[in-house]
Amino acid sequence: MPAGSRPASRRPERMRIRTLVLALALTVFAGGCSTIRGWIASDAEKARGPAELTEIQASATVEQVWSINLGDEQQRMGLRQQVAIEGDKVFVFDDEGEVMAVDANTGKPVWRTLAAERRSDGSAWKFWRKRIADGGITGGPGVGGGLVVVGGRNGEVVALDAGTGAERWRAKVTSEVISAPLVAGDRVVVRSNDGRTFGLDSADGARRWVYDRGIPALSTRGNAAPVSDGQRVYLGYEDGNVVALRLGDGSVAWIQRVAAPEGRSDLDRMADVDGELALGYSELYATSVGGQTMAIVMATGQPLWSRDTGTYGGLALLADRLMLADPDGTIWALDRSSGSALWRHDVLARRWLSSPAVHGDYVVFGDVEGYLHWISPEDGRVVARERLDRAPIRGTPQVSTTTGLLFAISGEGKLSAYRLR
Protein backbone atom coordinates (compact mmCIF):
# COMPACT_ATOMS: atom_id res chain seq x y z
CA MET A 1 0.00 0.00 0.00
CA PRO A 2 1.55 3.39 -0.96
CA ALA A 3 2.65 5.59 1.95
CA GLY A 4 0.05 8.08 3.02
CA SER A 5 -2.86 6.25 1.39
CA ARG A 6 -5.97 5.21 3.37
CA PRO A 7 -7.71 1.84 3.29
CA ALA A 8 -10.55 2.05 0.76
CA SER A 9 -12.80 0.09 3.13
CA ARG A 10 -12.79 2.95 5.65
CA ARG A 11 -13.93 5.64 3.19
CA PRO A 12 -17.64 4.64 3.16
CA GLU A 13 -17.62 4.60 6.97
CA ARG A 14 -16.16 8.12 7.11
CA MET A 15 -18.65 9.29 4.50
CA ARG A 16 -21.51 7.88 6.58
CA ILE A 17 -20.20 9.75 9.63
CA ARG A 18 -19.98 13.00 7.63
CA THR A 19 -23.50 12.45 6.32
CA LEU A 20 -24.82 11.84 9.83
CA VAL A 21 -23.12 14.99 11.16
CA LEU A 22 -24.54 17.02 8.27
CA ALA A 23 -28.01 15.61 8.85
CA LEU A 24 -27.84 16.50 12.53
CA ALA A 25 -26.66 20.01 11.67
CA LEU A 26 -29.51 20.49 9.22
CA THR A 27 -31.94 19.26 11.84
CA VAL A 28 -30.68 21.88 14.28
CA PHE A 29 -30.78 24.75 11.80
CA ALA A 30 -33.88 23.82 9.82
CA GLY A 31 -36.07 22.21 12.47
CA GLY A 32 -34.54 23.67 15.59
CA CYS A 33 -34.41 27.39 14.87
CA SER A 34 -36.53 28.00 17.94
CA THR A 35 -33.63 26.66 20.00
CA ILE A 36 -31.29 29.26 18.54
CA ARG A 37 -33.92 31.97 18.96
CA GLY A 38 -34.13 30.89 22.59
CA TRP A 39 -30.51 31.93 23.10
CA ILE A 40 -31.40 35.49 22.10
CA ALA A 41 -35.07 35.48 23.07
CA SER A 42 -36.86 38.78 22.77
CA ASP A 43 -38.56 40.45 25.70
CA ALA A 44 -41.93 39.58 24.14
CA GLU A 45 -41.02 35.86 23.98
CA LYS A 46 -39.78 35.89 27.56
CA ALA A 47 -43.03 37.54 28.64
CA ARG A 48 -44.94 34.48 27.42
CA GLY A 49 -42.95 32.21 29.72
CA PRO A 50 -43.63 31.57 33.40
CA ALA A 51 -43.69 34.72 35.51
CA GLU A 52 -40.47 35.17 37.45
CA LEU A 53 -40.78 34.40 41.13
CA THR A 54 -40.28 37.35 43.45
CA GLU A 55 -39.12 37.41 47.04
CA ILE A 56 -41.90 36.72 49.53
CA GLN A 57 -42.48 37.75 53.10
CA ALA A 58 -42.93 34.26 54.49
CA SER A 59 -45.50 34.17 57.26
CA ALA A 60 -45.80 30.36 57.37
CA THR A 61 -43.03 27.85 58.03
CA VAL A 62 -42.91 24.68 55.93
CA GLU A 63 -40.43 21.83 56.27
CA GLN A 64 -39.81 18.76 54.18
CA VAL A 65 -40.27 15.66 56.33
CA TRP A 66 -39.11 12.97 53.89
CA SER A 67 -38.65 12.27 50.20
CA ILE A 68 -38.45 9.15 47.98
CA ASN A 69 -37.97 8.50 44.25
CA LEU A 70 -40.60 6.70 42.15
CA GLY A 71 -38.71 6.79 38.82
CA ASP A 72 -38.22 9.49 36.21
CA GLU A 73 -40.56 8.42 33.40
CA GLN A 74 -43.90 9.65 34.73
CA GLN A 75 -43.65 12.95 32.90
CA ARG A 76 -42.82 11.27 29.57
CA MET A 77 -45.84 9.01 30.01
CA GLY A 78 -48.08 12.07 30.50
CA LEU A 79 -49.19 11.01 33.99
CA ARG A 80 -50.37 13.30 36.75
CA GLN A 81 -50.21 10.82 39.57
CA GLN A 82 -51.18 11.81 43.08
CA VAL A 83 -51.01 9.73 46.22
CA ALA A 84 -53.97 8.00 47.85
CA ILE A 85 -54.14 8.24 51.63
CA GLU A 86 -55.82 6.06 54.22
CA GLY A 87 -54.99 6.39 57.91
CA ASP A 88 -51.23 6.53 58.40
CA LYS A 89 -50.41 5.01 55.01
CA VAL A 90 -49.76 6.61 51.62
CA PHE A 91 -50.32 4.52 48.47
CA VAL A 92 -48.47 5.20 45.22
CA PHE A 93 -47.00 3.41 42.18
CA ASP A 94 -43.62 3.60 40.49
CA ASP A 95 -42.28 3.37 36.93
CA GLU A 96 -41.81 -0.37 37.08
CA GLY A 97 -45.46 -1.16 37.80
CA GLU A 98 -45.06 -1.67 41.54
CA VAL A 99 -47.71 -0.42 43.96
CA MET A 100 -46.33 0.66 47.32
CA ALA A 101 -47.76 1.36 50.73
CA VAL A 102 -45.56 3.91 52.50
CA ASP A 103 -45.61 5.00 56.12
CA ALA A 104 -46.98 8.54 55.97
CA ASN A 105 -44.79 9.78 58.82
CA THR A 106 -41.45 8.34 57.73
CA GLY A 107 -41.61 7.50 54.02
CA LYS A 108 -40.52 3.92 54.77
CA PRO A 109 -42.12 1.19 52.62
CA VAL A 110 -44.70 -0.98 54.39
CA TRP A 111 -45.19 -3.30 51.41
CA ARG A 112 -44.71 -3.29 47.65
CA THR A 113 -46.35 -5.45 44.98
CA LEU A 114 -45.67 -5.77 41.25
CA ALA A 115 -49.14 -5.17 39.80
CA ALA A 116 -48.62 -4.43 36.08
CA GLU A 117 -45.13 -4.99 34.72
CA ARG A 118 -43.74 -2.66 32.08
CA ARG A 119 -41.85 -4.11 29.13
CA SER A 120 -39.42 -2.59 26.67
CA ASP A 121 -38.77 -3.43 23.03
CA GLY A 122 -35.10 -2.51 23.50
CA SER A 123 -34.81 -1.47 19.87
CA ALA A 124 -33.32 2.02 19.63
CA TRP A 125 -29.78 3.15 18.97
CA LYS A 126 -27.74 2.68 22.11
CA PHE A 127 -26.81 6.35 22.26
CA TRP A 128 -30.34 7.66 21.67
CA ARG A 129 -32.27 4.84 23.36
CA LYS A 130 -35.70 5.55 24.85
CA ARG A 131 -37.66 2.83 26.56
CA ILE A 132 -40.99 2.16 24.84
CA ALA A 133 -43.38 0.75 27.38
CA ASP A 134 -46.11 -1.76 26.81
CA GLY A 135 -48.30 -2.20 29.84
CA GLY A 136 -47.60 -0.70 33.23
CA ILE A 137 -49.71 1.35 35.63
CA THR A 138 -51.15 4.62 34.32
CA GLY A 139 -54.10 5.34 36.62
CA GLY A 140 -54.54 5.48 40.35
CA PRO A 141 -54.19 4.49 43.00
CA GLY A 142 -57.68 4.56 44.48
CA VAL A 143 -58.25 3.34 48.02
CA GLY A 144 -61.22 2.31 50.16
CA GLY A 145 -62.95 -0.66 51.75
CA GLY A 146 -59.65 -2.40 52.43
CA LEU A 147 -58.63 -2.24 48.75
CA VAL A 148 -56.00 -0.38 46.76
CA VAL A 149 -56.95 -0.29 43.05
CA VAL A 150 -54.86 0.77 40.05
CA GLY A 151 -55.46 0.83 36.30
CA GLY A 152 -53.07 0.06 33.46
CA ARG A 153 -52.14 1.15 29.97
CA ASN A 154 -53.67 -2.00 28.49
CA GLY A 155 -56.92 -1.70 30.42
CA GLU A 156 -55.90 -3.85 33.37
CA VAL A 157 -57.56 -3.13 36.72
CA VAL A 158 -55.79 -4.66 39.71
CA ALA A 159 -57.12 -4.68 43.29
CA LEU A 160 -54.71 -5.30 46.17
CA ASP A 161 -55.27 -5.80 49.87
CA ALA A 162 -54.56 -2.44 51.53
CA GLY A 163 -53.06 -4.11 54.59
CA THR A 164 -50.71 -6.62 52.97
CA GLY A 165 -50.42 -5.82 49.25
CA ALA A 166 -51.68 -9.26 48.28
CA GLU A 167 -53.62 -9.39 45.01
CA ARG A 168 -57.37 -9.71 45.57
CA TRP A 169 -58.57 -9.71 41.98
CA ARG A 170 -57.76 -8.62 38.43
CA ALA A 171 -60.17 -7.35 35.76
CA LYS A 172 -60.07 -5.81 32.30
CA VAL A 173 -61.72 -2.72 30.78
CA THR A 174 -61.72 -1.63 27.15
CA SER A 175 -59.00 1.03 27.12
CA GLU A 176 -56.18 2.68 29.05
CA VAL A 177 -57.01 3.90 32.57
CA ILE A 178 -55.43 7.28 33.35
CA SER A 179 -57.43 8.42 36.37
CA ALA A 180 -57.73 6.94 39.84
CA PRO A 181 -60.43 4.27 40.24
CA LEU A 182 -63.08 5.02 42.86
CA VAL A 183 -63.84 2.50 45.62
CA ALA A 184 -67.33 3.19 46.97
CA GLY A 185 -69.22 0.55 48.95
CA ASP A 186 -69.58 -2.62 46.91
CA ARG A 187 -68.48 -0.94 43.66
CA VAL A 188 -65.17 -0.02 42.08
CA VAL A 189 -65.80 2.63 39.41
CA VAL A 190 -63.20 2.85 36.63
CA ARG A 191 -62.92 5.38 33.78
CA SER A 192 -61.29 4.12 30.60
CA ASN A 193 -59.86 6.49 28.03
CA ASP A 194 -62.40 5.61 25.32
CA GLY A 195 -65.34 7.30 27.07
CA ARG A 196 -66.60 4.25 28.96
CA THR A 197 -67.09 3.99 32.72
CA PHE A 198 -67.29 0.59 34.42
CA GLY A 199 -68.91 -0.44 37.69
CA LEU A 200 -67.05 -3.49 39.01
CA ASP A 201 -67.95 -5.62 42.01
CA SER A 202 -65.52 -4.73 44.80
CA ALA A 203 -65.51 -8.35 46.01
CA ASP A 204 -64.27 -10.05 42.84
CA GLY A 205 -63.96 -7.45 40.04
CA ALA A 206 -66.93 -8.79 38.07
CA ARG A 207 -68.49 -6.24 35.72
CA ARG A 208 -71.87 -5.06 37.03
CA TRP A 209 -72.53 -2.19 34.65
CA VAL A 210 -70.96 -0.01 31.97
CA TYR A 211 -71.81 3.53 30.86
CA ASP A 212 -70.67 4.43 27.36
CA ARG A 213 -70.30 8.08 26.35
CA GLY A 214 -68.49 9.13 23.18
CA ILE A 215 -65.54 11.48 23.29
CA PRO A 216 -64.74 14.44 20.98
CA ALA A 217 -62.15 14.26 18.23
CA LEU A 218 -59.74 16.33 20.32
CA SER A 219 -59.47 16.50 24.10
CA THR A 220 -56.84 16.99 26.77
CA ARG A 221 -55.00 13.92 28.10
CA GLY A 222 -56.65 13.52 31.45
CA ASN A 223 -59.85 12.32 33.04
CA ALA A 224 -61.36 13.65 36.23
CA ALA A 225 -61.43 10.81 38.74
CA PRO A 226 -64.96 9.70 39.69
CA VAL A 227 -66.36 10.97 43.02
CA SER A 228 -69.35 9.71 44.99
CA ASP A 229 -71.74 10.75 47.74
CA GLY A 230 -72.60 7.10 48.47
CA GLN A 231 -75.68 7.05 46.25
CA ARG A 232 -74.46 8.42 42.94
CA VAL A 233 -71.12 8.60 41.16
CA TYR A 234 -70.23 11.88 39.43
CA LEU A 235 -68.04 12.15 36.35
CA GLY A 236 -66.68 15.05 34.32
CA TYR A 237 -66.56 14.43 30.57
CA GLU A 238 -64.64 15.73 27.57
CA ASP A 239 -67.78 17.21 26.00
CA GLY A 240 -68.22 19.70 28.86
CA ASN A 241 -70.87 17.73 30.78
CA VAL A 242 -71.05 16.35 34.30
CA VAL A 243 -72.90 13.03 34.49
CA ALA A 244 -74.43 11.52 37.63
CA LEU A 245 -74.88 7.74 37.59
CA ARG A 246 -76.61 5.62 40.22
CA LEU A 247 -73.87 3.72 41.96
CA GLY A 248 -75.69 0.37 42.13
CA ASP A 249 -76.66 -0.13 38.49
CA GLY A 250 -74.96 2.66 36.51
CA SER A 251 -78.23 4.18 35.28
CA VAL A 252 -78.19 7.92 34.52
CA ALA A 253 -79.58 10.12 37.29
CA TRP A 254 -78.93 13.39 35.46
CA ILE A 255 -76.63 15.16 32.99
CA GLN A 256 -75.69 18.83 33.32
CA ARG A 257 -73.68 20.82 30.81
CA VAL A 258 -70.98 22.95 32.41
CA ALA A 259 -69.45 24.39 29.22
CA ALA A 260 -70.62 24.14 25.62
CA PRO A 261 -68.05 23.32 22.92
CA GLU A 262 -67.83 26.43 20.73
CA GLY A 263 -65.70 27.49 17.78
CA ARG A 264 -64.77 26.34 14.31
CA SER A 265 -61.86 24.04 15.06
CA ASP A 266 -61.61 21.01 17.32
CA LEU A 267 -59.08 22.94 19.40
CA ASP A 268 -61.49 25.84 19.89
CA ARG A 269 -64.27 23.42 20.85
CA MET A 270 -62.40 21.76 23.71
CA ALA A 271 -64.57 21.93 26.83
CA ASP A 272 -63.17 19.10 28.97
CA VAL A 273 -64.21 18.81 32.60
CA ASP A 274 -60.88 17.27 33.56
CA GLY A 275 -60.09 18.67 36.99
CA GLU A 276 -61.24 17.12 40.24
CA LEU A 277 -64.91 17.61 41.06
CA ALA A 278 -65.53 19.00 44.56
CA LEU A 279 -68.39 17.75 46.74
CA GLY A 280 -70.03 20.14 49.19
CA TYR A 281 -72.86 19.48 51.63
CA SER A 282 -75.54 19.10 48.96
CA GLU A 283 -73.86 20.65 45.95
CA LEU A 284 -71.18 19.66 43.45
CA TYR A 285 -68.63 22.06 41.97
CA ALA A 286 -67.16 21.52 38.51
CA THR A 287 -64.93 23.54 36.21
CA SER A 288 -64.09 23.26 32.51
CA VAL A 289 -61.16 24.15 30.29
CA GLY A 290 -63.92 25.75 28.16
CA GLY A 291 -64.03 28.62 30.65
CA GLN A 292 -66.93 27.89 33.01
CA THR A 293 -67.25 26.95 36.67
CA MET A 294 -70.58 25.75 38.02
CA ALA A 295 -72.25 24.78 41.29
CA ILE A 296 -74.80 21.97 40.83
CA VAL A 297 -77.40 20.49 43.17
CA MET A 298 -76.30 16.88 43.64
CA ALA A 299 -79.82 15.47 44.04
CA THR A 300 -81.30 17.00 40.87
CA GLY A 301 -78.49 18.24 38.64
CA GLN A 302 -79.90 21.77 38.61
CA PRO A 303 -77.29 24.56 38.45
CA LEU A 304 -77.08 26.94 41.41
CA TRP A 305 -74.77 29.38 39.67
CA SER A 306 -72.29 29.56 36.79
CA ARG A 307 -69.19 31.71 36.45
CA ASP A 308 -67.21 32.61 33.31
CA THR A 309 -63.96 31.40 34.81
CA GLY A 310 -62.70 27.90 34.19
CA THR A 311 -59.57 25.81 34.24
CA TYR A 312 -57.91 22.60 33.07
CA GLY A 313 -57.37 21.68 36.74
CA GLY A 314 -59.65 21.27 39.71
CA LEU A 315 -60.96 23.25 42.64
CA ALA A 316 -60.14 23.64 46.32
CA LEU A 317 -63.22 23.93 48.52
CA LEU A 318 -63.16 26.00 51.73
CA ALA A 319 -65.97 26.85 54.15
CA ASP A 320 -67.08 30.03 52.37
CA ARG A 321 -65.23 30.02 49.07
CA LEU A 322 -63.61 27.92 46.40
CA MET A 323 -60.27 28.54 44.72
CA LEU A 324 -58.88 27.73 41.31
CA ALA A 325 -56.19 28.84 38.86
CA ASP A 326 -57.28 29.70 35.31
CA PRO A 327 -55.20 28.70 32.24
CA ASP A 328 -53.27 31.99 32.45
CA GLY A 329 -52.20 31.20 36.01
CA THR A 330 -54.43 33.80 37.63
CA ILE A 331 -55.66 32.54 41.00
CA TRP A 332 -59.34 33.17 41.76
CA ALA A 333 -61.30 33.05 44.99
CA LEU A 334 -65.03 32.63 44.28
CA ASP A 335 -67.86 32.95 46.77
CA ARG A 336 -69.15 29.45 47.41
CA SER A 337 -72.82 30.44 47.56
CA SER A 338 -72.97 32.80 44.57
CA GLY A 339 -69.88 32.30 42.41
CA SER A 340 -68.99 36.00 42.59
CA ALA A 341 -65.29 36.85 42.57
CA LEU A 342 -63.89 37.74 45.99
CA TRP A 343 -60.42 38.45 44.59
CA ARG A 344 -57.98 37.39 41.92
CA HIS A 345 -54.19 37.46 41.83
CA ASP A 346 -51.67 36.96 38.99
CA VAL A 347 -48.55 36.55 41.12
CA LEU A 348 -48.06 33.05 39.58
CA ALA A 349 -49.05 33.92 36.02
CA ARG A 350 -48.25 31.44 33.24
CA ARG A 351 -46.75 28.94 35.67
CA TRP A 352 -49.14 26.10 34.64
CA LEU A 353 -50.42 25.54 38.13
CA SER A 354 -51.72 22.22 39.43
CA SER A 355 -55.11 21.79 41.00
CA PRO A 356 -54.99 23.25 44.51
CA ALA A 357 -55.09 21.48 47.88
CA VAL A 358 -56.12 22.84 51.27
CA HIS A 359 -53.31 22.52 53.82
CA GLY A 360 -54.09 23.94 57.24
CA ASP A 361 -55.16 27.57 56.78
CA TYR A 362 -53.69 27.79 53.28
CA VAL A 363 -54.19 26.59 49.71
CA VAL A 364 -51.24 24.95 47.91
CA PHE A 365 -50.48 24.98 44.18
CA GLY A 366 -47.67 23.15 42.37
CA ASP A 367 -46.13 24.71 39.27
CA VAL A 368 -44.29 23.94 36.04
CA GLU A 369 -40.85 24.49 37.59
CA GLY A 370 -41.42 22.15 40.53
CA TYR A 371 -42.28 24.74 43.18
CA LEU A 372 -45.05 24.43 45.76
CA HIS A 373 -46.72 27.69 46.77
CA TRP A 374 -48.72 28.13 49.97
CA ILE A 375 -51.35 30.85 49.35
CA SER A 376 -53.50 32.80 51.79
CA PRO A 377 -57.15 32.27 50.79
CA GLU A 378 -57.99 35.69 52.21
CA ASP A 379 -56.02 37.77 49.72
CA GLY A 380 -53.82 35.55 47.52
CA ARG A 381 -50.51 36.35 49.21
CA VAL A 382 -47.79 33.70 48.87
CA VAL A 383 -46.94 32.89 52.50
CA ALA A 384 -44.45 30.04 51.89
CA ARG A 385 -42.63 28.37 49.02
CA GLU A 386 -40.66 25.14 48.65
CA ARG A 387 -39.07 23.55 45.60
CA LEU A 388 -39.90 19.88 45.30
CA ASP A 389 -37.93 19.24 42.11
CA ARG A 390 -36.90 20.84 38.83
CA ALA A 391 -39.70 19.03 37.00
CA PRO A 392 -43.38 20.09 36.77
CA ILE A 393 -45.89 19.17 39.45
CA ARG A 394 -48.95 18.00 37.52
CA GLY A 395 -50.82 15.85 40.02
CA THR A 396 -52.83 17.52 42.74
CA PRO A 397 -51.02 17.68 46.11
CA GLN A 398 -52.84 15.61 48.74
CA VAL A 399 -53.23 16.27 52.48
CA SER A 400 -53.64 13.65 55.22
CA THR A 401 -56.28 14.43 57.84
CA THR A 402 -54.52 11.94 60.14
CA THR A 403 -50.97 13.31 60.04
CA GLY A 404 -51.54 16.83 58.68
CA LEU A 405 -48.82 16.24 56.08
CA LEU A 406 -49.01 17.36 52.45
CA PHE A 407 -47.73 14.97 49.74
CA ALA A 408 -46.72 16.00 46.21
CA ILE A 409 -45.12 14.19 43.25
CA SER A 410 -43.01 15.77 40.51
CA GLY A 411 -42.94 14.73 36.86
CA GLU A 412 -39.57 13.12 37.51
CA GLY A 413 -41.09 10.88 40.17
CA LYS A 414 -39.93 12.60 43.35
CA LEU A 415 -42.46 12.18 46.16
CA SER A 416 -42.06 14.44 49.21
CA ALA A 417 -43.99 15.08 52.41
CA TYR A 418 -44.28 18.55 53.98
CA ARG A 419 -45.32 19.78 57.38
CA LEU A 420 -46.64 23.19 58.39
CA ARG A 421 -45.06 24.43 61.60
Side-chain angles (χ1 to χ4, degrees):
M1 180 181 296
S5 66
R6 296 172 179 167
S9 60
R10 296 184 62 185
R11 290 176 182 170
E13 179 181 353
R14 292 180 181 272
M15 289 298 294
R16 284 196 297 271
I17 293 174
R18 289 179 181 177
T19 302
L20 176 60
V21 171
L22 178 61
L24 290 173
L26 289 174
T27 299
V28 170
F29 283 93
C33 293
S34 60
T35 302
I36 297 173
R37 285 199 300 269
W39 298 340
I40 50 175
S42 67
D43 290 340
E45 288 172 318
K46 290 179 180 178
R48 289 193 292 269
E52 291 189 11
L53 298 178
T54 58
E55 293 292 327
I56 63 172
Q57 296 292 326
S59 56
T61 302
V62 177
E63 66 174 0
Q64 186 182 95
V65 180
W66 54 261
S67 182
I68 61 175
N69 188 6
L70 305 174
D72 61 3
E73 294 194 10
Q74 303 211 18
Q75 183 173 331
R76 186 181 68 80
M77 293 168 65
L79 305 183
R80 52 186 190 189
Q81 184 189 175
Q82 56 202 40
V83 304
I85 306 168
E86 188 172 67
D88 59 358
K89 292 188 184 69
V90 171
F91 301 94
V92 72
F93 64 86
D94 68 12
D95 282 357
E96 301 303 322
E98 282 193 321
V99 180
M100 295 182 288
V102 176
D103 186 291
N105 292 294
T106 66
K108 302 297 184 184
V110 178
W111 54 256
R112 55 197 310 154
T113 299
L114 184 62
E117 186 175 9
R118 299 185 63 202
R119 298 174 294 279
S120 171
D121 70 356
S123 66
W125 287 356
K126 181 178 180 181
F127 199 65
W128 302 96
R129 178 170 295 177
K130 288 186 180 292
R131 190 164 84 169
I132 302 172
D134 176 28
I137 302 172
T138 51
V143 63
L147 295 178
V148 179
V149 187
V150 295
R153 181 179 299 279
N154 294 332
E156 309 97 329
V157 181
V158 184
L160 307 176
D161 186 282
T164 66
E167 184 173 317
R168 296 272 289 273
W169 50 260
R170 186 176 292 258
K172 186 89 169 177
V173 296
T174 53
S175 182
E176 181 183 19
V177 179
I178 60 175
S179 61
L182 167 72
V183 185
D186 60 358
R187 292 288 177 268
V188 173
V189 182
V190 181
R191 286 280 307 268
S192 66
N193 210 29
D194 58 3
R196 295 182 176 96
T197 299
F198 297 83
L200 308 179
D201 193 300
S202 61
D204 57 9
R207 185 182 300 181
R208 298 306 181 195
W209 53 261
V210 59
Y211 174 73
D212 191 356
R213 188 174 187 86
I215 58 175
L218 182 65
S219 65
T220 61
R221 178 175 168 79
N223 291 328
V227 296
S228 178
D229 60 2
Q231 301 179 51
R232 292 169 290 269
V233 57
Y234 304 97
L235 305 126
Y237 272 94
E238 291 85 348
D239 58 5
N241 286 292
V242 172
V243 177
L245 305 177
R246 294 178 180 88
L247 191 57
D249 61 8
S251 60
V252 176
W254 52 258
I255 299 174
Q256 175 60 53
R257 184 177 293 280
V258 175
E262 296 179 349
R264 295 184 177 181
S265 70
D266 289 334
L267 184 62
D268 292 334
R269 292 174 60 81
M270 289 174 64
D272 305 49
V273 179
D274 264 354
E276 290 90 341
L277 306 174
L279 295 180
Y281 304 113
S282 59
E283 67 281 350
L284 169 77
Y285 299 89
T287 186
S288 166
V289 71
Q292 295 284 329
T293 298
M294 183 177 288
I296 305 168
V297 178
M298 287 192 290
T300 65
Q302 295 300 308
L304 291 170
W305 54 258
S306 181
R307 170 85 190 186
D308 290 335
T309 302
T311 181
Y312 51 82
L315 311 161
L317 194 60
L318 292 89
D320 63 343
R321 66 194 64 194
L322 56 90
M323 292 182 62
L324 58 89
D326 69 22
D328 293 326
T330 300
I331 299 172
W332 293 78
L334 304 180
D335 184 272
R336 183 166 161 170
S337 61
S338 67
S340 60
L342 302 175
W343 55 260
R344 63 178 182 177
H345 207 316
D346 62 358
V347 65
L348 300 177
R350 303 179 305 282
R351 296 194 67 85
W352 286 99
L353 302 177
S354 71
S355 300
V358 178
H359 190 201
D361 295 330
Y362 308 108
V363 174
V364 184
F365 292 89
D367 77 10
V368 71
E369 293 182 330
Y371 287 96
L372 291 162
H373 307 271
W374 280 256
I375 306 291
S376 167
E378 298 302 321
D379 54 17
R381 288 180 301 111
V382 181
V383 300
R385 177 183 296 141
E386 290 287 329
R387 193 165 201 176
L388 168 62
D389 202 352
R390 295 187 178 276
I393 300 170
R394 302 184 69 237
T396 307
Q398 300 293 306
V399 177
S400 168
T401 57
T402 302
T403 66
L405 297 177
L406 176 138
F407 306 92
I409 304 175
S410 77
E412 295 293 333
K414 184 177 181 180
L415 164 61
S416 293
Y418 295 89
R419 175 185 293 123
L420 275 170
R421 296 183 68 88

